[in-house]
Amino acid sequence: MEEKLRILVVDDDEVDRMAVRRALTKAGVEIELSEVGDGNGAITVLADTSYDCVFLDYRLPDQDGLSLLQTLRSTNIKVPVVVLTGQGDDQIAVELMKAGATDYLSKSRLSPEILPPILRNAIRVHRAEMQVALANQQLRESNELLIRKNQELEAQRRQIERQNLKLIEASQLKSQFLATMSHELRTPMNAIIGFSQLLLRPKCGELTHQQKDMVQRILNNGKHLLMLLNEVLDFSKLEAGRLDLKPEIFDLSKIVNATVQEMRSLAEQKDLSLLIQIDLQNPVVFNDPTRVRQILTNLLSNAIKFTESGCIKVEVKEISENQLGIAVCDTGIGIAPAELQNIFEAFRQVDQSTTRKYSGTGLGLPIIKALLQMMGGHIIVESRLGEGSVFRIKIPRQTLSSTQQGQDEALNSTHASTSRNLWKQQELPRFVQSQSIKEE
Ligand code: ADP
């Protein structure tokens, strides 16, 4: 069933109004029709009641159709308006359309055949226009919302940027503080260690057994503190990118043997056996011996620290012609799977409580990882809680940080006449093996 349309006819001529009514009724259009005779009456009615369509006579007694359309627009009354024009008003009709009329029709064509389709079309066009206007309005609103959100995001981004800068600054200050403090503390620490060593020498006069014991403790604790300070210093240097490798040619098996011997007394204090197995055809490497030693010392002291019984084993082997592997295995407390990745982060320890059993800075493994990265090597760990851990490192025979200058220096220090090409042809290791291995 067709909806009943509310129609307003604005015309001062009774006959014309009737013509509209008759044309629509005859065509069977369901309407509820209201009539007014002038422009002001129309505005009053339209302000109160909503209509589906207005038929507007162009020539009203108080105003013309154009000014009425403008008034409707300015008062924001939205209704489709079909203007009824007289003969020869075509030019006026164009102006009316521009002013917002939906359609126009000459009064001479007011018939049941022509009027209904014009009415329906005007309503359809108006509704479509309203929908477009609504969609446009929604679009404008969401656009404004987006602009506001964007502004908020931009403000947040700038805030985060500012906070980031502050954090970077604070982190740099912290690193600087760590570096300065550890550097400053090393000088008095070296004096404590040096003077304790002097006191323990017989030349300085005999000490009682008890005094000796106390000085030895001062010495041991001083060394331990110095080791911790060095870790902090190394870490801050690595963080600032200020730690350089000093590569040279050396015998890896000698460094490994020496380091293991150095750590043996620590293992013996805990009744741990310390085994070493070196399986190298060619032990010559080009790397920083101090840093390789530091890596090994760190892994071994961890292995000893975290093992209560059983043994520690160090294995060295060739993985390939240009890659060497060192594994440090222990039968200690092991590490839970969830912790395996964390332990390589700075200051991360499995037990971070202040009452923890095992001492340390939590910097050993991050330093090892960073040093190995600089060398072009890497470290992995396998572990089972309660059974033990294996830390495996891989290092290239020739470290990445071996700049040409470093290599040249190494070459010059081994044999003046050795040409750069010999190294490139990988003949140097053999040559070095027989003549120029740097003694420990
Ligand atoms: P630190 O030993 O000074 O605490 P590290 O960076 O060397 O710092 O090690 C980080 C953490 O990794 C240790 O606190 C410990 O929880 C765990 N860890 C390292 N090596 C072992 C090991 N061999 N066995 C068990 N846990 C280990």
Side-chain angles (χ1 to χ4, degrees):
M1 206 179 77
E2 261 199 359
E3 58 180 322
K4 198 170 205 174
L5 299 173
R6 293 163 69 90
I7 308 292
L8 176 69
V9 184
V10 186
D11 201 322
D12 56 327
D13 189 332
E14 167 83 53
V15 179
D16 287 345
R17 290 203 302 263
M18 201 177 295
V20 173
R21 180 190 293 270
R22 202 178 308 132
L24 294 174
T25 327
K26 227 177 170 185
V29 183
E30 286 278 322
I31 52 167
E32 189 184 318
L33 198 122
S34 314
E35 298 171 13
V36 287
D38 58 19
N40 285 336
I43 290 166
T44 315
V45 172
L46 283 166
D48 275 357
T49 320
S50 73
Y51 287 92
D52 293 303
C53 187
V54 175
F55 287 102
L56 170 67
D57 177 21
Y58 176 69
R59 292 172 204 285
L60 294 168
D62 55 347
Q63 54 190 295
D64 63 20
L66 203 61
S67 61
L68 182 65
L69 276 170
Q70 279 157 355
T71 313
L72 291 183
R73 262 207 178 166
S74 64
T75 48
N76 212 18
I77 295 172
K78 292 192 170 77
V79 62
V81 178
V82 177
V83 186
L84 304 173
T85 58
Q87 285 284 348
D89 281 345
D90 287 355
Q91 188 50 43
I92 290 168
V94 174
E95 292 301 314
L96 289 166
M97 295 298 281
K98 278 188 197 159
T102 318
D103 209 346
Y104 67 94
L105 180 70
S106 166
K107 283 186 178 177
S108 60
R109 301 177 66 214
L110 277 177
S111 70
E113 291 75 35
I114 295 180
L115 198 54
I118 290 215
L119 168 66
R120 286 201 194 90
N121 191 49
I123 293 173
R124 198 169 48 243
V125 167
H126 178 75
R127 284 183 184 166
E129 276 172 4
M130 288 298 101
Q131 273 174 3
V132 169
L134 185 71
N136 271 344
Q137 172 69 16
Q138 285 171 345
L139 218 72
R140 259 197 309 279
E141 279 170 14
S142 48
N143 204 23
E144 275 162 21
L145 194 76
L146 272 177
I147 290 172
R148 266 205 309 281
K149 287 264 168 250
N150 254 357
Q151 284 166 344
E152 277 170 29
L153 278 174
E154 179 60 20
Q156 279 174 1
R157 194 190 62 77
R158 268 190 253 121
Q159 168 85 355
I160 290 172
E161 212 171 71
R162 275 197 297 276
Q163 280 173 346
N164 256 355
L165 280 178
K166 275 190 190 160
L167 281 175
I168 291 172
E169 213 175 304
S171 169
Q172 277 168 350
L173 276 174
K174 178 219 69 183
S175 303
Q176 187 59 43
F177 172 77
L178 279 181
T180 315
M181 280 316 285
S182 43
H183 188 77
E184 289 300 313
L185 288 171
R186 269 189 347 161
T187 316
M189 197 47 66
N190 276 324
I192 292 170
I193 291 171
F195 284 117
S196 332
Q197 279 167 335
L198 274 179
L199 275 174
L200 287 171
R201 284 190 191 157
K203 264 198 248 168
C204 287
E206 270 308 308
L207 297 176
T208 64
H209 182 71
Q210 198 186 14
Q211 284 167 335
K212 256 190 192 165
D213 184 52
M214 286 195 287
V215 176
Q216 186 64 51
R217 281 178 194 217
I218 293 173
L219 180 60
N220 291 347
N221 281 295
K223 281 183 175 171
H224 181 66
L225 259 177
L226 188 64
M227 192 268 290
L228 296 179
L229 286 174
N230 282 339
E231 262 186 6
V232 176
L233 192 62
D234 278 352
F235 177 72
S236 35
K237 276 190 189 163
L238 278 165
E239 241 192 357
R242 287 206 318 264
L243 194 142
D244 294 321
L245 293 179
K246 296 187 179 70
E248 57 184 81
I249 292 165
F250 66 93
D251 183 331
L252 181 66
S253 54
K254 285 194 176 177
I255 288 276
V256 175
N257 267 318
T259 315
V260 171
Q261 287 322 316
E262 220 174 64
M263 305 297 287
R264 195 166 286 288
S265 65
L266 262 184
E268 280 169 0
Q269 279 169 26
K270 290 181 82 176
D271 269 341
L272 301 170
S273 44
L274 183 51
L275 312 171
I276 178 164
Q277 186 184 336
I278 300 181
D279 186 9
L280 290 177
Q281 295 261 1
N282 176 8
V284 179
V285 295
F286 180 75
N287 204 326
D288 183 334
T290 313
R291 297 298 173 186
V292 171
R293 199 177 188 135
Q294 179 182 357
I295 291 172
L296 202 58
T297 307
N298 249 318
L299 289 178
L300 273 170
S301 69
N302 271 354
I304 295 168
K305 181 163 69 174
F306 293 107
T307 304
E308 299 309 329
S309 64
C311 71
I312 318 286
K313 194 173 172 188
V314 180
E315 287 171 359
V316 187
K317 63 178 181 186
E318 264 145 3
I319 297 170
S320 66
E321 198 187 341
N322 294 318
Q323 277 218 312
L324 306 168
I326 303 175
V328 177
C329 325
D330 65 56
T331 53
I333 60 171
I335 303 158
E339 295 290 345
L340 281 178
Q341 281 310 308
N342 301 339
I343 57 171
F344 290 99
E345 283 172 25
F347 307 110
R348 284 298 279 265
Q349 298 173 308
V350 171
D351 181 358
Q352 298 214 274
S353 64
T354 46
T355 53
R356 65 181 189 269
K357 183 173 170 189
Y358 304 101
S359 66
T361 56
L363 289 176
L365 290 176
I367 290 175
I368 293 176
K369 192 175 165 191
L371 285 175
L372 283 167
Q373 256 164 14
M374 287 173 75
M375 293 172 181
H378 74 265
I379 181 164
I380 54 169
V381 55
E382 291 155 30
S383 188
R384 266 174 196 272
L385 207 55
E387 289 183 24
S389 314
V390 187
F391 285 85
R392 292 181 202 283
I393 62 172
K394 257 190 208 169
I395 43 170
R397 190 180 289 281
Q398 183 186 339
T399 174
L400 273 189
S401 293
S402 56
T403 54
Q404 194 57 57
Q405 190 192 347
Q407 289 183 30
D408 286 350
E409 278 167 13
L411 292 172
N412 291 336
S413 70
T414 51
H415 197 281
S417 64
T418 310
S419 82
R420 194 181 281 179
N421 290 341
L422 277 178
W423 174 263
K424 284 189 179 150
Q425 288 157 14
Q426 297 190 329
E427 286 180 22
L428 188 64
R430 237 185 310 127
F431 166 82
V432 171
Q433 233 177 326
S434 55
Q435 297 192 27
S436 319
I437 293 169
K438 204 167 187 287
E439 289 302 319
E440 268 306 295

